[in-house]
C-alpha cells in the first residue's frame, strides 16, 4: 500500500484528492495547520473524515515538516497548502509568500534531507502568467505575475524546478487554471455568485455586488483537476503541466448561467462595484493543456456552464 501526504487536506482540492487516493487504495495522511481545531467539513461532506490520518504541520517551520516526513514516510507528497486567495494576498503579502514559497522550499529540503525517493507535486497557479490578452498559456509561456499570490507561486515553481535539476528529486508543478466546486469557500467569486443566486431566488438576499464582471477566466471542475495531479506523479519523469479547459468566459457569463439555473435574469440583481476591483487584475485567463492530454491522457469533460449550474444546485 502506498502512502500519500496531502498538505492542505481541509481545502477544496485536498478533500477531492484525498477521496481519489483512497479509492486508489492509498493510505492517506493529510495535514492542517491545526488538526485539533480544524473542522475538516470538506472531508465530512465527502464522507471520508475518518478514513484519513490527520496531522498538524506548519509548513513554514522546517522542524514541523521534517518531523511529519519521518513519522509518515510518504511515497508521494501533494503540496496543496497555503494562502490561496489572490485578493487576500494584497492584504497579507508576507503570510502569502511564507506559506507558499517557504512551505514548498521546506518540503523540498526535507525530501532532500531524508534522501528517500519521495515524489512531490506542488500546486502552481495560472495566476503566474499574468495578462496574455487572450493567448492560451502553455508550459513554455513566461511568467508575469500580477499579485503577491502569483509572485509567491512563481518563486515556488522555480524552486521546484531547481531541486529537480540540482538534486534529481522527482518534483513537479501543476500550473492549474481556476477550478471550482461546491467545496469552494464563499470568499471566492464563483461560490459568492452561486450562493447569491440561490438566496435571491428564495427572497433571502436582494442583490449581488461584484468587482469587474468583464474579466475572463478558464473555469474547470475541481474533481477532474485532482486526477491530473495524481497522474503527474505516476509518470517516469517529473515534468510540469498546465491544466485547463482551453476556453475562457466572462465573469458575467458565469453569473448569467448561475442565475438562469434558478430561473432569474442576472441583470436585474447584479451590480459591478469599482471598490471591489483589485489593485492589478488579469483581464483574460486561458490555458492550453495539450501537453497534459498527450502525456497524461488527461482531458476535462466539464465546461464552465456545467460548473456554474452544479455549484448552484449544490447550494
Ligand atoms: P484552499 O484554500 O481550499 O485550501 C488550502 C489549504 O491550505 C487550506 O485548507 C488551509 O488548511 C491551508 N492554508 C490556508 N491558508 C494558509 C496559510 N496562510 N498558511 C498555511 N496554510 C494555509 O485551496 P484549494 O484547495 O482551492 O487549492 C489548493 C492549492 O492549489 C492551493 O495552493 C491553491 O493556491 C492552488 N491553486 C488553486 C486553484 C483553484 O482554482 N482552486 C488554481 C490554482 C492553484 P488549514 O487551515 O487546515 O491549515
Amino acid at each position: 500500500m502506498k502512502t500519500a501526504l496531502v498538505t492542505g487536506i481541509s481545502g477544496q482540492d485536498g478533500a477531492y484528492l484525498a477521496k481519489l487516493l483512497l479509492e486508489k487504495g492509498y493510505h492517506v495522511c493529510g495535514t492542517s495547520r491545526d488538526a485539533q481545531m480544524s473542522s475538516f467539513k470538506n472531508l465530512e461532506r465527502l464522507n471520508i473524515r475518518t478514513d484519513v490520518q490527520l496531522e498538524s504541520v506548519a509548513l513554514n517551520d522546517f522542524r514541523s515538516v521534517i518531523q511529519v516526513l519521518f513519522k509518515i514516510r510518504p511515497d508521494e507528497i501533494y503540496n496543496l497548502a497555503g494562502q490561496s486567495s489572490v485578493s487576500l494576498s494584497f492584504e497579507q503579502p508576507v503570510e502569502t509568500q511564507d506559506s507558499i514559497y517557504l512551505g514548498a522550499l521546506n518540503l523540498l529540503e526535507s525530501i532532500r534531507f531524508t534522501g528517500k525517493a519521495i515524489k512531490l507535486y506542488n500546486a502552481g497557479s495560472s495566476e503566474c502568467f499574468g495578462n496574455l490578452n487572450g493567448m492560451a498559456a502553455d508550459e513554455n509561456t513566461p511568467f508575469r505575475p500580477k499579485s503577491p499570490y502569483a509572485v509567491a507561486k512563481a518563486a515556488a515553481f522555480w524552486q521546484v524546478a531547481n531541486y529537480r535539476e540540482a538534486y534529481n528529486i522527482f518534483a513537479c508543478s501543476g500550473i492549474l487554471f481556476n477550478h471550482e466546486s461546491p467545496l469552494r469557500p464563499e470568499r471566492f467569486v464563483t461560490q459568492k455568485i452561486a450562493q447569491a443566486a440561490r438566496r435571491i431566488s428564495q427572497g433571502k438576499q436582494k442583490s449581488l455586488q461584484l468587482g469587474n464582471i468583464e474579466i475572463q477566466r478558464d473555469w474547470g471542475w475541481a474533481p477532474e483537476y485532482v486526477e491530473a495531479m495524481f497522474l503527474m506523479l505516476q509518470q517516469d519523469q517529473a515534468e510540469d503541466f498546465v491544466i485547463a479547459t482551453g476556453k475562457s468566459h466572462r465573469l458575467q457569463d458565469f453569473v448569467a448561467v448561475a442565475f438562469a439555473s434558478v430561473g432569474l435574469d442576472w441583470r436585474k440583481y447584479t451590480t459591478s462595484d469599482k471598490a471591489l476591483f483589485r489593485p492589478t487584475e488579469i483581464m483574460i485567463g486561458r490555458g492550453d493543456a495539450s501537453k497534459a492530454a498527450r502525456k497524461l491522457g488527461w482531458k476535462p469533460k466539464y465546461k464552465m456552464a456545467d460548473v456554474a449550474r452544479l455549484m448552484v444546485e449544490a447550494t
Side-chain angles (χ1 to χ4, degrees):
M1 185 190 257
K2 277 191 186 172
T3 296
L5 183 69
V6 179
T7 73
I9 198 167
S10 63
Q12 169 189 268
D13 291 5
Y16 284 121
L17 178 65
K19 185 162 189 287
L20 179 78
L21 294 170
L22 287 168
E23 285 163 4
K24 293 195 178 291
Y26 278 67
H27 170 62
V28 178
C29 174
T31 77
S32 167
R33 282 164 293 179
D34 191 341
Q36 306 297 317
M37 293 299 287
S38 177
S39 71
F40 297 112
K41 59 179 179 351
N42 287 337
L43 298 180
E44 271 166 17
R45 223 165 142 179
L46 300 186
N47 221 3
I48 54 168
R49 168 82 160 89
T50 52
D51 300 335
V52 296
Q53 180 182 347
L54 296 166
E55 299 285 339
S56 295
V57 172
L59 279 186
N60 57 358
D61 184 328
F62 181 75
R63 182 188 169 84
S64 175
V65 177
I66 191 94
Q67 219 161 241
V68 80
L69 258 61
F70 281 133
K71 182 170 176 188
I72 302 304
R73 301 181 177 277
D75 300 289
E76 296 171 7
I77 301 176
Y78 297 85
N79 180 28
L80 310 181
Q83 200 297 96
S84 70
S85 157
V86 174
S87 36
L88 189 61
S89 79
F90 287 101
E91 309 303 322
Q92 299 182 358
V94 177
E95 172 72 17
T96 302
Q97 178 73 23
D98 241 37
S99 61
I100 292 175
Y101 173 71
L102 200 53
L105 181 55
N106 277 334
L107 279 167
L108 289 161
E109 261 306 300
S110 298
I111 292 171
R112 181 179 166 216
F113 190 84
T114 65
K116 302 256 188 269
I118 303 170
K119 293 181 169 184
L120 174 71
Y121 169 85
N122 196 58
S125 169
S126 61
E127 291 287 326
C128 296
F129 294 122
N131 267 323
L132 291 172
N133 300 320
M135 197 186 88
D138 66 16
E139 293 78 7
N140 298 315
T141 307
F143 288 168
R144 288 190 183 81
K146 292 237 168 289
S147 63
Y149 169 81
V151 170
K153 285 290 188 190
F157 174 92
W158 286 116
Q159 201 66 87
V160 167
N162 181 241
Y163 272 63
R164 182 169 63 221
E165 288 160 16
Y167 307 117
N168 209 19
I169 288 173
F170 190 112
C172 62
S173 296
I175 311 171
L176 272 56
F177 280 70
N178 301 55
H179 45 282
E180 316 294 319
S181 78
L183 302 189
R184 264 296 211 194
E186 210 173 327
R187 173 198 296 142
F188 290 87
V189 72
T190 49
Q191 185 65 279
K192 181 178 169 179
I193 293 163
Q195 295 290 339
R198 173 67 64 201
R199 289 191 204 117
I200 292 171
S201 76
Q202 295 170 335
K204 294 178 183 160
Q205 187 175 326
K206 288 204 162 43
S207 61
L208 169 65
Q209 279 83 44
L210 294 170
N212 191 344
I213 57 174
E214 291 297 329
I215 58 151
Q216 294 187 29
R217 291 290 181 272
D218 181 330
W219 281 294
W221 184 237
E224 290 190 320
Y225 282 45
V226 300
E227 284 173 21
M229 299 174 189
F230 168 75
L231 290 170
M232 283 180 221
L233 291 201
Q234 312 316 310
Q235 302 303 296
D236 293 332
Q237 275 194 332
E239 283 182 62
D240 306 319
F241 288 90
V242 164
I243 300 297
T245 70
K247 299 258 180 300
S248 58
H249 301 270
R250 290 175 304 171
L251 185 63
Q252 67 179 66
D253 300 332
F254 191 101
V255 183
V257 175
F259 275 63
S261 65
V262 288
L264 298 176
D265 177 358
W266 70 279
R267 287 186 198 83
K268 293 186 184 155
Y269 306 96
T270 310
T271 54
S272 170
D273 182 352
K274 280 241 153 55
L276 298 177
F277 281 37
R278 288 176 183 159
T280 44
E281 180 68 275
I282 296 176
M283 285 315 295
I284 307 175
R286 191 159 73 88
D288 173 358
S290 42
K291 180 182 172 188
R294 206 171 56 248
K295 292 202 161 175
L296 304 177
W298 183 87
K299 273 191 183 156
K301 293 182 200 71
Y302 289 78
K303 307 270 182 292
M304 179 281 278
D306 306 310
V307 175
R309 185 178 41 78
L310 289 167
M311 286 182 75
V312 177
E313 279 173 13
T315 56

